[in-house]
Every structure is written in C-alpha cells, then in structure tokens.
C-alpha cells in the first residue's frame, strides 16, 4: 500500500498548518510582531475537537466500553460532530444558540436524538446540560455521558501533542498564545505544556463581552447573552485551573464577527470564535508593544462553513449589526455597483396580481381574500396601473349596498393622479411615479 494512504480517518487528526495572518486585512497593520494562525479547522471534522474526540474514543476502548454504546454528549456541537465522524452513536445536548448548520451536519451523520438546552444555565440547575445528561444516562442502560467540563477524561496528552506542534512549527520562538476559552481544558493543558518548554510565554484567554470566566464575581448571570459560539461561560468552568491564563481579553460580538469575515476574505475559513481570538491577538500585540521578532500564535478552532446562515449571510450580519462601519460601507458600495445599470426587469420579480377596471367588485374582493391582500392594483388599457382598491373599502361598500357585486371596479377604485383640488388659494395634486420594467433601479434609490 502506498505510504500516502492513511487507513483510518482518526489518523488524519492533528499536524494542522501554522500560517502567517499578515495577508488578512486589519490584522497586522500597526503591529510590530508576527501573528500566526494555527488552523485547527483543517482537522477532518473541521475543528479542534477532533483531537479531543480521538483521545476520548481511545479511553472508551481502554475501559472496555463497546463501540456500539450510546454516548450522551454535551457542548456547542463540534465535539459531537467529531465523535459521530469517528463512528459513535450519539445523543446530543446542544445550546439554543448552536447554528442550524451544525444541527444539519449532525443529522447527516445519522444523529437524530438532539436535545436543545438553555443558553447560560448554571451548574446544578435542572436546565444545565450536565443535569439533563445525567438524567438521560440514568434511564438508558449502557449509555455513557461525555462532557469535557467535568474532568472525567484525561485530555492532557491531547493538548501535549498540540503544544509540541506549536513549538516545532515556531522553532521554539513563541512569545504568546491566544485562544478562546470555553470548558477550560485547552487553556489549562496548553498553558502547562507550553510553559514547561517556554517559561516566558504569555497565555491570553479570550471570551465574549458579558462572559464571566475571567471575572471574580458574577452579577445576574442569567442576563448574560452573546452570539459568538464555542467560547465564554456565565460562570468559571472548573476544568480551568487558576494561573493558567496570564491575561484576559473580552471581545464584542461585532468585533468577533467582523474579524471572522475579514479572515474569510483573506482565505482563512475560520468561524466567529476564531475572529474573536484574532482580534484579541491584535489587541494584545498593540498593547504589549511587541518587537519585530516577536511571535503570537492564535488557535483557530473551527470552520466558517458551520455558519452559512449567520457569519456568511450578509442579511443576517446586517440585521444583527455585526459588521463594522467600513464593512457596511463596502457592502453598500458593492450593492450599488451591482445594480447601478440594472432595471426593474433584471430583478425577475414574480408577476403582479392585479384586477382590471372592468372586473366586478365581487371578483376583486374574492381575489384579495384568496391572496390575503389588503389592497389590489387596478389596471386600465394596455395593463397600465390607473389606481387601486382596498379590501376594507370594498367590503364596506358591498355590505352597505352602495356597490353591487356585479358593479365594475372602476366606479369605486381610488385613482392615481387625481384632479387638483383647491385648498385655500393653492392647488394640491398628489403625484405618483410611473414605474415600468425598464425603469432603472438607480432612479428608485
């Protein structure tokens, strides 16, 4: 067999590239040192959790747990995807904010038992994923609960491998590591492993604005909300050991998503949590006044392809106000250029529903009721718009016997361009624009 052939998908986990992010707009400007991205989204399951899943599967086998044993997995979804990729049967406990893309991917992997859990639920509460998972395991014989946060699995070797890759890829010259923090396992184990070899390295923890991991006290934790997935907690996870993080940086959703879009535009297909980490790396690099020879590595934990309905959707990003001012201006300019020479016909709109001025009042009312319209345009000769009829007015006229069902619409319609009416000494005329399929869109802006 060729040496290029790998026998199992788990053998492809790890050895991800470390690349310079200097070519990404907005990353290196004004920064003396070099910011590098560790492309963990290039694992086969498109996230850093492939490493975790591989080691959990090995530990399940070492414990003699059958491969067919159902696993109950809590988390934002990446660990479940990785375990399903490795052939495990799952019940998934996913937070409400988990994207539909991940849910679709899990279902395509054969996972149909998906339970949505409350965002920000506190440990010990009945709504917390851990409590829900334990209740499920209690009533399902032979099932195993998988939750990184509880510390039931030894993940030290998993992150020792990642630390060794970082040291090898930087020839041991790494000044700081920036990573998003969720369960705390990656931060704890990478900090330990890297500082054993590089005592002066700084570990920078990243969390969303409103997250409480790096705080000493929590005010009204249930009121804390953010959109960025895979990082942040409403409480400090117990897997995060004190002293693992040298500096905390909070990043807003807008900064995280905008930077993630810039990464995608620069050819780095990383998700919003990676956008937060890169933005934090830039903040740290500027504040620390790095030397030109300094190196800062950033963990890019999952792929942008898990966010087609959110991060990669212009409409969604605009609706949630997640694009920075320059990106909004660029998007608007692009849209204007796209439609500058276009006409109404180029939009390929569906045919308008209209009535003729000679149609009966009964027909017009029935048509509006069928389409749930409050009004309908009225056309005259050559199908030109000459006015409109409202449902409420038509029904009132019919109910009061002012109009007969057989009367033509023209007798009761409201006409465009009415004759001028005198108000004092002035002639008032309501103006309407004639819009045809050939009308340029630029005239309507």
């Amino acid at each position: 067999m060729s040496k290029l052939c790998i026998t199992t998908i788990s053998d492809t986990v790890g050895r991800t590239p470390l690349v310079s992010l200097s070519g990404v707009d907005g990353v290196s400007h004004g920064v003396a040192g070099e910011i590098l991205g560790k492309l963990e989204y290039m694992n086969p399951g498109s996230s850093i959790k492939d490493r975790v899943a591989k080691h959990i599967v090995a530990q399940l086998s070492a414990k003699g747990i059958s491969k067919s044993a159902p696993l109950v997995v809590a988390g934002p979804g990446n660990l479940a995807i990785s375990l399903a990729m490795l052939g495990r049967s799952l019940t998934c406990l996913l937070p409400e904010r988990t994207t539909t893309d991940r849910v679709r991917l899990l279902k395509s992997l054969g996972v149909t038992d998906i339970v949505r859990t409350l965002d920000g639920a506190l440990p010990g509460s009945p709504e917390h994923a851990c409590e829900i998972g334990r209740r499920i395991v209690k009533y399902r014989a032979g099932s195993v609960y998988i939750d990184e946060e509880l510390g039931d699995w030894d993940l030290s070797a998993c992150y020792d491998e990642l630390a060794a890759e970082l040291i090898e890829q930087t020839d041991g010259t790494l000044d700081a590591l920036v990573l998003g923090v969720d369960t705390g396992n990656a931060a704890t184990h990478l900090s330990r492993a890297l500082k054993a070899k590089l005592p002066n390295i700084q570990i920078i923890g990243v969390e969303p604005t409103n997250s409480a991991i790096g705080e000493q006290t929590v005010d009204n934790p249930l009121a804390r909300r953010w959109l960025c997935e895979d990082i942040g907690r409403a409480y400090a996870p117990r897997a995060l050991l004190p002293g693992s993080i040298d500096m905390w940086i909070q990043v807003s959703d807008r900064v995280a998503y905008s930077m993630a879009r810039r990464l995608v535009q620069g050819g780095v297909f990383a998700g919003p949590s990676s956008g937060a980490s890169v933005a934090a790396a830039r903040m740290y690099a500027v504040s620390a006044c790095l030397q030109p020879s300094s190196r800062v590595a950033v963990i890019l934990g999952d792929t942008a392809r898990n966010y087609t309905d959110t991060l990669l959707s212009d409409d969604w990003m605009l609706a949630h106000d997640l694009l920075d001012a320059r990106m909004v201006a660029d998007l608007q300019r692009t849209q204007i250029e796209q439609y500058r020479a276009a006409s109404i016909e180029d939009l390929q709109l569906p045919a308008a529903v209209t009535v003729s001025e000679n149609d009966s009042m009964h027909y017009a009312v029935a048509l509006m009721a069928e389409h749930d319209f409050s009004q309908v345009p009225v056309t005259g000769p050559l199908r030109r718009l000459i006015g409109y009829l409202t449902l409420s007015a038509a029904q009132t006229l019919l109910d009061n016997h002012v109009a007969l069902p057989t009367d033509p619409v023209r007798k009761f319609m409201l006409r465009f361009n009415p004759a001028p009416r005198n108000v004092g000494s002035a002639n008032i005329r309501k103006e309407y624009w004639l819009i045809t399929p050939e009308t340029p869109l630029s005239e309507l802006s």
Side-chain angles (χ1 to χ4, degrees), residues 298-318:
V298 187
I299 301 296
L300 306 185
D302 83 334
T303 177
R305 293 186 177 95
N306 281 341
Y307 306 91
T308 58
D309 292 336
T310 54
L311 171 66
L312 303 183
S313 167
D314 290 340
D315 292 337
W316 188 90
M317 293 282 283
L318 287 169

Side-chain angles (χ1 to χ4, degrees), residues 10 38 54 59 66 75-76 84 91 108 131 133 188 191 217 230 240 244-245 255 262 270 304 317 326 348 371 383 385:
S10 64
K38 180 67 168 164
K54 180 179 179 179
Q59 291 175 51
S66 170
T91 292
S108 71
E131 300 302 319
T188 294
S191 178
T217 59
D230 299 325
L240 179 63
S244 298
I245 301 296
V255 170
R262 295 193 188 285
M317 293 282 283
R326 188 156 67 89
Q348 297 183 343
H371 292 278
R383 288 186 56 81
L385 290 178

Side-chain angles (χ1 to χ4, degrees), residues 278-289:
V278 172
R282 175 175 167 75
M283 295 176 197
Y284 168 76
V286 171
S287 64
C289 300

Side-chain angles (χ1 to χ4, degrees), residues 371-389:
H371 292 278
D372 196 24
F373 289 169
S374 62
Q375 53 189 289
V376 64
V378 181
T379 60
L382 302 178
R383 288 186 56 81
R384 291 172 67 91
L385 290 178
I386 59 174
Y388 64 97
L389 180 71

Side-chain angles (χ1 to χ4, degrees), residues 343-345 384 434-440:
S343 66
I344 294 289
E345 189 174 21
R384 291 172 67 91
L434 177 64
I435 298 175
T436 69
E438 291 74 31
T439 301

Side-chain angles (χ1 to χ4, degrees), residues 3 20 24 69 127 227 234 269 292 294:
K3 293 181 179 179
S20 172
V24 177
E127 298 85 5
L227 294 173
F269 299 146
S294 300

